[in-house]
Amino acid sequence: MSKLKIAIQKSGRLYEESLQLLKDCGIFVNNGKDQLKVSVDNFPMEIMYLRNSDIPQYLEDGVVDVAILGENLLIEKGKNIKTIQKLGFSKCRVSLAVPKEVETDELSYFQGKKIATSYPNTLKNFLEKEGITSDIHVISGSVEIAPNIGLADGICDIVSSGSTLFKNGLRETVTLLKSEAVLAKTPQLSVEKEAILEKFVFRIKAVLKAKNSKYILMNVPNEKIQKVSEVLPVLKSPTVIPLAEEGWSSIHSVIDEERFWEVIDELKDNGAQDILIIPIDKMVI
Ligand SMILES: Nc1ncnc2c1ncn2[C@@H]1O[C@H](COP(=O)(O)OP(=O)(O)OP(=O)(O)O)[C@@H](O)[C@H]1O
Ligand SMILES: O=P(O)(O)OC[C@H]1O[C@H](OP(=O)(O)OP(=O)(O)O)[C@H](O)[C@@H]1O
Ligand SMILES: [Mg+2]
């Protein structure tokens, strides 16, 4: 029987959450990353631990079928690889930054300047599009140190909290792109493996949907049920259960994580009381 070969970062920013996602999908990985190839008992899948930066090539060559990797890396490597699903973690951006003493945030600052980066293709394409000519100096890590040691006038690198820039006396000026972890697939997959992938993506969607939603329940006087129901962004219609106390009901529904504070105020204003918000484990709709 076919097994879907999935590449996961061996160690680094994506490792923990990639494994957690598999776990949330009910896929239990047998043992640790000391082995580069690991089997799974309860799903037709084989895990391969690889370096994030090598994964686009492995996908292109069909050495692995799917992979969890940083979207920015797919853009940098310019491979013809399809992103199947954004995964919502390892969110970051690729940005230009300058020494904090530089007074301008304008891109034109970089005209004729030297920029250190680990993402030369992303930078080159961006600068070309913007009509700026710079000297791109490729380094594989610790890019933020470059201006301090006189290696460059600015940098182009990954920024998340901004603390690495701050510690190195740099300031973010221009964002080239935003990135997050994605599930990507090799250009050619057998029908059998496509079917396994479909099952896997179905599970991922259920996990992600649940993460972004909350179960909400509240007590409402019967005469306010209509009003409160109108405020709730419901899946179909809210569940309404009579309470033991005459004239009151309990309303249950599901709301988006992002919207719940906003909705709670409206619910209270419309007569809802004793509002509970509960996490959801999986959600299939
Ligand atoms: N500080 C950060 N915050 C959030 N996401 C990040 C951060 N740094 C990197 N990422 C994302 O995580 C991915 C993996 O980054 P990480 O630094 O772990 O690996 P890498 O430097 O690409 O190296 P390797 O090839 O050794 O696995 C990046 O491609 C990027 O998408
Ligand atoms: O804005 P921040 O939250 O400070 O994150 C940005 C830093 O994180 C990444 O490095 P990482 O720690 O992954 O080290 P690496 O260069 O060895 O990959 C990236 O290359 C930046 O240096
Ligand atoms: Mg890194």
Side-chain angles (χ1 to χ4, degrees), residues 45 54 64 70 100 132 136 164 208 235 260 263:
M45 185 176 261
D54 294 333
V64 296
K100 62 178 190 307
I132 301 284
I136 299 177
T164 310
L208 296 180
L235 287 175
F260 80 83
V263 175

Side-chain angles (χ1 to χ4, degrees), residues 1-284:
M1 190 192 165
S2 263
K3 286 188 174 187
L4 190 72
K5 278 188 253 169
I6 182 169
I8 282 175
Q9 192 187 24
K10 185 171 163 24
S11 64
R13 297 274 179 177
L14 301 164
Y15 172 73
E16 297 278 347
E17 284 182 271
S18 299
L19 277 193
Q20 185 60 46
L21 177 67
L22 292 184
K23 204 169 161 195
D24 292 343
C25 288
I27 296 169
F28 299 111
V29 181
N30 283 338
N31 44 21
K33 55 181 172 173
D34 295 338
Q35 275 171 272
L36 293 182
K37 210 163 114 180
V38 170
S39 63
V40 170
D41 286 336
N42 63 349
F43 197 76
M45 185 176 261
E46 203 167 41
I47 320 275
M48 296 171 76
Y49 292 112
L50 298 169
R51 287 193 61 171
N52 183 47
S53 40
D54 294 333
I55 290 177
Q57 191 63 51
Y58 285 122
L59 279 172
E60 186 169 80
D61 296 344
V63 174
V64 296
D65 301 318
V66 294
I68 296 176
L69 77 168
E71 199 178 7
N72 62 301
L73 202 59
L74 282 181
I75 295 166
E76 172 62 22
K77 303 278 180 179
K79 305 278 179 203
N80 179 28
I81 291 160
K82 206 168 154 221
T83 294
I84 306 166
Q85 177 74 46
K86 293 194 182 225
L87 300 175
F89 60 88
S90 290
K91 288 190 177 175
C92 58
R93 47 202 187 270
V94 175
S95 292
L96 284 159
V98 297
K100 62 178 190 307
E101 306 72 39
V102 172
E103 274 169 9
T104 179
D105 279 9
E106 295 293 321
L107 182 62
S108 55
Y109 163 80
F110 292 98
Q111 178 64 40
K113 297 269 188 355
K114 199 166 180 180
I115 310 174
T117 189
S118 308
Y119 301 97
N121 297 321
T122 306
L123 178 59
K124 185 170 157 283
N125 292 339
F126 178 79
L127 292 177
E128 261 172 30
K129 204 175 76 214
E130 299 291 332
I132 301 284
T133 311
S134 308
D135 176 10
I136 299 177
H137 187 83
V138 185
I139 41 180
S140 57
S142 304
V143 174
E144 291 90 347
I145 202 85
N148 288 316
I149 57 172
L151 200 67
D153 304 297
I155 65 151
C156 175
D157 198 19
I158 285 174
V159 183
S160 177
S161 67
S163 81
T164 310
L165 290 183
F166 183 77
K167 280 186 218 146
N168 286 283
L170 302 173
R171 189 182 79 248
E172 185 178 7
T173 55
V174 181
T175 299
L176 280 62
L177 58 92
K178 288 188 175 166
S179 173
E180 64 188 85
V182 294
L183 181 74
K185 76 165 181 173
T186 189
Q188 307 267 306
L189 260 192
S190 67
V191 176
E192 231 179 338
K193 286 187 176 181
E194 280 287 358
I196 304 171
L197 177 59
E198 208 175 296
K199 280 190 186 149
F200 181 43
V201 173
F202 175 83
R203 293 189 187 190
I204 291 177
K205 285 191 168 143
V207 169
L208 296 180
K209 184 85 189 110
K211 259 196 193 126
N212 295 328
S213 305
K214 292 275 181 273
Y215 193 82
I216 180 168
L217 51 156
M218 70 212 79
N219 295 331
V220 180
N222 287 345
E223 68 276 12
K224 299 275 178 67
I225 290 175
Q226 184 60 32
K227 202 94 196 113
V228 168
S229 302
E230 282 165 19
V231 176
L232 279 173
V234 293
L235 287 175
K236 276 201 180 68
S237 67
T239 307
V240 181
I241 304 164
L243 292 187
E245 189 178 331
E246 189 80 12
W248 282 79
S249 294
S250 171
I251 295 189
H252 299 209
S253 191
V254 172
I255 61 169
D256 276 0
E257 162 96 66
E258 279 178 11
R259 281 205 62 208
F260 80 83
W261 287 116
E262 183 191 320
V263 175
I264 280 167
D265 283 339
E266 274 187 78
L267 292 172
K268 274 169 48 192
D269 294 346
N270 282 288
Q273 295 180 14
D274 313 323
I275 301 168
L276 297 183
I277 306 289
I278 300 169
I280 299 171
D281 194 42
K282 306 280 187 295
M283 205 163 138
V284 179

